């Protein structure tokens, strides 16, 4: 994995400037697996300027803090700091160029609410020049409780068109809240989501579409014209019904017409996600034989639906889009490994050539300049955390640019192998097996079953920092795509991993039994580690069979289905969430909290106190119940950290503690 860096001198200066872990891999001290795998990626959210002469990216610093850097690609250029977020509470999500010298960045935070909502997610847009000058806040004040507002602006603006032909201007969908001060920034009596043409240098705004109280989003054609409005229907009191309606405009018209509707609860209907200006169609998802397929719907007098691509085995994943106008060029999916289908011959030929140059890699186009002559390419695999390349299409030149995780440069990683095992009812369940590096014939090793989160998610082939850490420490890791996982169609999804917890968690337990029956795992050294729903499955495994796993680690776990539902009580999506979780006996039987007396093995839990996905209180109550039942249990609390624990120091601590816990439980040495 060791590489010669095209921009080595620039990166060396950047490492000194940022205090980020670029130099850790070259440090003379002994390799620290917890520190290396727990470190956040060196670079994220890379973007190429419209002229292709500069890049912008986000790099982590201490805690949750991060820095936005810009870097000219001219020889000898030095990185510049454009923006800094200290992580207390605001953090950097990413940036994009609105001109060759200017960016728009998104910052976000989770802040405690003074009312009933618990934690509030706050997102704001900031425009800034590449050198950090002329910062402009494009949305409401960072204090979401702005004086005079008759409501709270949480996520009040989103870019829907980057307008590459207009220097520094963008189309933004902006949330308007009634204000009791005439002439205020948010705008008097206007209410709802509208669209503005916004000059990011001066903040001069021109209303393009008036605020709509029912609108929750807009879709542009990439040429500056809004073609689709997304509306959500509600119940009395403002609660979501779970039904979304899409309206469209014909070319040259301002009149809205109904295009389709989509039911979030059962996933039926056509859900548009992009508009092709030249073809005058909307691309969107719709189910075919119980699996998500890609369709187009014409945006003319009489919309016609057309199937573009489908798979008989798996759902489609996401659209592949390229360039400043987000040109749709293909669609991705995942079977045992990730695959793609390309609709544009030029992109298909380009990716074919890149795969020859970078064999056995997952390759994606991260960004490009306006004419698509220069591109940022990302390539990685199971044994490679990934590298960003600069690709010049006219000259067919590919240069290494930035390494995603420099602490792992030169470290031998573990291969990930797609496998299948039998569940208790005989059903074949797919998964991924990661063996410790250098182990080809595993016999009687310490092992971990690691169910994914969601539950509406799935594991995919590739680099996984959590699985790779445990493999590096000598554990076999099995990641099961249990029934209840997304991506395999309706029949595999069952009624989801909560309503059908006995099937989903049963498949997870069966993964552990398979490791033992195959002779791969030592039954006395078999554990389970899970995050979010995976943590739920780890704890809930005792309700299926309390004997299989000899140690349980649960990170930010769901422990009480009734509490999980109640956490959304005062939000508009409560009815949708309540329907997803359901009612009935499974609410109690499917909650780990009710099974505290069944735990005979040691339990270790980790949870951040600012977790909006799963309340910290669920782990606190689970810990109290386990202690009351006489179980051996510990809860590690991370103050002011959220569901993702997006902090290198916190992740390092979690990995170190979890490894020590497993080794002690299994009677292994350090």
């Amino acid at each position: 994995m060791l590489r010669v860096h095209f921009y080595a001198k620039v990166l060396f200066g950047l490492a000194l400037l940022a205090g980020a872990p670029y130099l850790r891999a070259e440090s003379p001290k002994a390799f620290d697996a917890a520190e290396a795998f727990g470190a956040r990626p060196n670079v994220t959210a890379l973007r190429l300027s419209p002229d292709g002469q500069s890049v912008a990216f986000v790099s982590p610093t201490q805690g949750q803090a991060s820095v936005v850097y810009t870097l000219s690609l001219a020889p000898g250029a030095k990185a510049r700091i454009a923006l800094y977020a200290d992580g207390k509470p605001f953090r950097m999500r990413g940036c994009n160029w609105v001109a060759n010298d200017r960016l728009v960045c998104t910052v976000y935070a989770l802040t405690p609410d003074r009312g009933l909502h618990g934690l509030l997610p706050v997102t704001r847009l900031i425009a800034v020049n590449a050198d950090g000058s002329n910062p402009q806040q494009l949305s409401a004040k960072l204090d979401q409780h702005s004086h005079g507002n008759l409501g709270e602006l949480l996520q009040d603006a989103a870019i829907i068109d980057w307008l590459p032909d207009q220097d520094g201007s963008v189309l933004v969908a902006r949330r308007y809240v009634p204000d009791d001060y005439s002439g205020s920034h948010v705008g008097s009596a206007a209410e709802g989501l509208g669209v503005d043409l916004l000059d990011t240098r001066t903040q001069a705004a021109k209303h393009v579409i008036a605020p709509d109280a029912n609108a929750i989003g807009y879709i542009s054609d990439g040429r500056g014209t809004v073609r689709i409005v997304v509306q959500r229907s509600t119940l009395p009191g403002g609660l979501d019904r779970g039904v979304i309606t899409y309206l469209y405009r014909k070319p040259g018209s301002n009149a809205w017409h109904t295009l389709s509707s989509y039911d979030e609860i059962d996933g039926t209907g056509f859900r548009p996600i992009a508009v092709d200006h030249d073809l005058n169609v909307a691309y969107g998802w719709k189910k075919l034989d119980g699996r998500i397929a890609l369709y187009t719907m014409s945006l003319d007098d009489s919309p016609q639906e057309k199937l573009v691509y489908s798979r008989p085995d798996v759902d489609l994943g996401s659209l592949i889009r390229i360039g400043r106008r987000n040109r749709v060029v293909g669609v991705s999916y995942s079977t045992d490994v990730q695959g793609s289908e390309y609709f544009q011959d030029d992109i298909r030929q380009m990716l074919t050539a890149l795969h020859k140059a970078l064999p056995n890699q997952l390759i994606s186009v991260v960004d490009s300049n306006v004419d698509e002559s220069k591109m940022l390419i990302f390539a990685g695999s199971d044994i490679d955390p990934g590298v960003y390349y600069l690709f010049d299409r006219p000259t067919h030149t590919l240069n290494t640019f930035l390494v995603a995780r420099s602490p792992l440069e030169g470290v031998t990683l573990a291969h990930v192998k797609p496998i299948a095992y039998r569940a208790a009812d005989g059903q074949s369940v797919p998964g991924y097996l990661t063996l410790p590096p250098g182990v080809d014939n595993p016999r009687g090793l310490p092992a971990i079953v690691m169910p994914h989160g969601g539950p509406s998610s799935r594991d995919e082939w590739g680099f996984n920092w959590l699985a790779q850490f445990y493999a590096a420490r000598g554990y076999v890791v099995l990641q099961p795509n249990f029934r209840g996982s997304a991506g395999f169609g309706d029949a595999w999804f069952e009624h989801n991993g909560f309503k059908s917890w006995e099937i989903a968690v049963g498949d997870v337990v069966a993964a552990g039994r398979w490791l033992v029956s195959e002779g791969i795992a030592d039954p006395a050294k078999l554990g389970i580690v899970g995050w979010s729903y995976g943590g739920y499955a780890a704890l809930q495994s005792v309700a299926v069979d309390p004997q299989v796993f000899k140690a349980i680690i649960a990170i930010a776990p769901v422990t009480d289905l009734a509490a999980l539902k109640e956490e959304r009580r005062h939000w508009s999506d409560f009815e949708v969430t309540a329907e997803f979780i359901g009612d009935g006996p499974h609410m109690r039987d499917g909650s780990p909290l009710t099974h505290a007396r069944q735990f005979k093995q040691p339990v270790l839990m980790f949870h951040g106190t600012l977790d909006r996905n799963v309340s910290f209180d669920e782990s606190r109550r689970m810990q109290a119940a386990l202690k009351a039942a006489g179980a051996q249990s510990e809860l590690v609390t991370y103050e002011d950290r959220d569901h993702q624990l997006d902090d290198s120091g916190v992740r390092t601590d979690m990995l170190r503690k979890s490894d020590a816990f497993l080794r002690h439980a299994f009677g292994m040495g350090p």
Side-chain angles (χ1 to χ4, degrees):
M1 290 172 53
L2 214 52
R3 302 176 180 84
V4 177
H5 294 270
F6 182 66
Y7 287 90
K9 292 183 179 180
V10 173
L11 291 182
F12 181 79
L14 178 59
L16 296 178
L17 179 66
Y22 287 96
L23 302 182
R24 289 182 182 172
E26 301 174 13
S27 173
K29 69 180 183 180
F31 177 70
D32 184 333
E35 182 179 34
F37 287 100
R40 290 189 284 167
N42 296 97
V43 290
T44 58
L46 275 78
R47 290 294 180 267
L48 195 61
S49 62
D51 62 4
Q53 299 302 309
S54 300
V55 294
F57 56 90
V58 178
S59 183
T61 58
Q62 296 299 314
Q64 297 183 121
S66 53
V67 180
V68 176
Y69 291 103
T70 60
L71 175 63
S72 168
L73 299 180
K78 295 183 179 180
R80 299 179 291 181
I81 295 178
L83 204 60
Y84 170 75
D86 65 4
K88 303 176 182 179
F90 278 90
R91 290 178 279 163
M92 195 61 58
R93 180 163 285 169
C95 304
N96 205 351
W97 300 86
V98 291
N100 291 322
D101 63 342
R102 193 158 178 81
L103 301 163
V104 171
C105 303
T106 303
V107 296
Y108 72 103
L110 288 173
T111 61
D113 179 31
R114 295 174 293 193
L116 300 172
H117 296 90
L119 293 170
L120 297 175
V122 181
T123 302
R124 295 292 181 261
L125 295 179
I126 308 292
V128 64
N129 286 342
D131 61 2
S133 62
N134 190 24
Q136 297 280 346
Q137 191 171 309
L138 303 183
S139 45
K141 294 181 179 179
L142 294 181
D143 175 8
Q144 76 276 13
H145 303 283
S146 301
H147 182 64
N149 287 352
L150 303 180
E152 293 177 345
L153 287 173
L154 301 181
Q155 298 173 324
D156 66 322
I159 308 295
I160 61 171
D161 197 319
W162 292 93
L163 301 178
D165 298 325
Q166 299 192 39
D167 184 69
S169 293
V170 290
L171 276 185
V172 294
R174 303 177 82 177
R175 177 69 60 183
Y176 287 79
V177 173
D179 192 296
D180 59 6
Y181 294 100
S182 60
S184 73
H185 175 68
V186 229
S188 64
E191 181 175 10
L193 193 69
V195 178
D196 292 347
L197 174 62
L198 182 64
D199 187 322
T200 68
R201 301 183 194 275
T202 65
Q203 291 205 61
K206 176 184 177 182
H207 296 312
V208 175
I209 296 179
D212 180 347
N214 295 320
I216 60 171
Y218 295 90
I219 302 176
S220 165
D221 64 356
R223 305 295 179 90
T225 302
V226 177
R227 297 296 305 277
I228 294 176
V229 57
V230 187
Q231 295 183 335
R232 184 182 294 281
S233 59
T234 59
L235 298 166
L239 294 178
D240 295 346
R241 292 179 55 240
V243 176
I244 299 175
T245 300
Y246 300 89
L247 308 178
Y248 76 102
R249 299 195 295 189
K250 294 180 288 187
S253 171
N254 290 325
W256 294 105
H257 307 275
T258 300
L259 179 68
S260 64
S261 64
Y262 175 76
D263 191 314
E264 291 182 295
I265 295 175
D266 62 19
T268 58
F270 176 76
R271 178 163 56 98
I273 52 176
V275 170
D276 188 305
H277 171 273
D278 296 332
L279 298 178
N280 191 36
V281 299
Y283 284 94
W285 307 120
K286 185 179 178 181
K287 289 184 180 178
L288 176 65
D289 298 328
R291 294 181 179 85
I292 297 173
L294 181 64
Y295 287 80
T296 58
M297 189 83 81
S298 59
L299 302 178
D300 48 26
D301 290 332
S302 180
Q304 299 295 314
E305 182 181 279
K306 179 182 178 181
L307 175 65
V308 178
Y309 187 72
S310 66
R311 296 279 307 186
D313 47 356
V314 294
D315 296 318
L316 299 187
S318 61
L319 281 184
I320 301 173
R321 307 172 75 171
I322 286 179
R324 306 293 298 177
R325 303 186 193 279
N326 281 323
R327 179 166 68 109
V328 176
V329 298
V331 64
S332 68
Y333 56 88
S334 185
T335 53
D336 286 344
V337 296
Q338 295 178 30
S340 304
E341 178 70 18
Y342 294 100
F343 312 141
Q344 307 292 333
D345 290 339
D346 63 325
I347 300 300
R348 184 185 300 109
Q349 293 167 3
M350 181 190 76
L351 267 296
T352 299
L354 287 173
H355 276 290
K356 291 180 179 178
L358 301 169
N360 304 315
Q361 300 276 296
L362 299 173
I363 299 174
S364 61
V365 178
V366 177
D367 199 15
S368 77
N369 63 344
V370 172
D371 66 8
E372 300 181 15
S373 62
K374 294 179 174 61
M375 293 186 169
L376 278 170
I377 304 295
F378 179 82
S381 69
D382 56 342
I383 57 171
D384 186 345
V387 180
Y388 294 93
Y389 296 87
L390 291 169
F391 181 53
D392 187 289
R393 293 181 72 186
T395 64
H396 305 288
T397 303
L398 184 69
N399 287 308
T400 303
F401 181 49
L402 289 172
V403 173
R405 292 178 178 266
S406 64
L408 297 176
E409 282 289 281
V411 176
T412 300
L413 299 181
H415 284 282
V416 179
K417 178 183 177 182
I419 57 95
Y421 63 91
R422 292 291 176 186
D425 61 0
Q427 175 67 55
S428 178
V429 180
Y432 296 98
L433 187 67
T434 304
L435 301 179
V439 174
D440 297 320
N441 185 28
R443 306 301 298 174
L445 296 179
I448 294 169
V449 173
M450 196 170 80
H452 61 72
S456 302
S457 182
R458 61 157 292 172
D459 279 315
E460 297 184 350
W461 184 86
F463 175 82
N464 181 298
W465 64 271
L466 200 57
Q468 287 287 344
F469 166 76
Y470 291 119
R473 295 296 293 152
Y475 304 94
V476 172
V477 181
L478 175 52
Q479 298 167 264
N481 277 318
F482 47 86
R483 281 170 286 183
S485 300
F488 298 91
D490 288 348
W492 194 258
F493 189 69
E494 291 286 341
H495 297 292
N496 77 52
F498 290 130
K499 289 181 178 177
S500 302
W501 73 266
E502 291 175 288
I503 296 174
V505 179
D507 287 355
V508 171
V509 172
R513 291 175 178 149
W514 179 81
L515 286 170
V516 172
S517 68
E518 292 292 308
I520 297 172
D522 180 342
K525 298 177 182 178
L526 177 62
I528 183 168
V529 179
W531 199 318
S532 192
Y533 180 87
Y536 162 85
L539 294 170
Q540 188 64 8
S541 67
V542 301
V544 174
D545 188 336
Q547 305 299 323
V548 174
F549 300 112
K550 303 307 185 287
I552 294 175
I553 296 177
I555 308 164
V558 173
T559 67
D560 184 351
L561 296 185
L564 182 67
K565 183 190 297 187
E566 193 63 25
E567 287 162 21
R568 303 303 298 175
R569 168 67 64 179
H570 301 290
W571 293 88
S572 61
D573 64 353
F574 174 72
E575 290 293 332
V576 176
T577 302
E579 172 61 28
F580 183 84
I581 297 173
D583 288 301
H586 78 279
M587 293 290 286
R588 175 178 172 79
D589 298 340
S591 295
L593 189 66
T594 65
H595 304 291
R597 295 188 179 279
Q598 294 180 247
F599 285 80
K600 305 304 178 186
Q601 62 278 85
V603 176
L604 177 61
M605 293 183 289
F606 300 92
H607 214 135
T609 60
L610 288 183
D611 191 333
R612 184 171 177 264
N613 297 59
V614 181
S615 171
F616 168 72
D617 190 57
E618 292 203 38
S619 284
R620 184 192 62 78
R621 292 170 59 221
M622 187 71 198
Q623 172 68 1
L626 289 169
K627 284 299 185 182
Q632 180 184 337
S633 177
E634 180 185 0
L635 171 60
V636 178
T637 301
Y638 295 118
E639 295 292 336
D640 300 327
R641 294 298 180 262
D642 65 8
H643 193 68
Q644 285 73 33
L645 301 179
D646 196 18
D647 177 324
S648 297
V650 165
R651 289 184 175 184
T652 297
D653 181 73
M654 181 186 71
L655 294 181
R656 190 166 287 135
K657 282 185 169 67
S658 66
D659 182 35
F661 168 81
L662 290 171
R663 290 180 180 278
H664 182 267
F666 296 162
M668 299 166 56

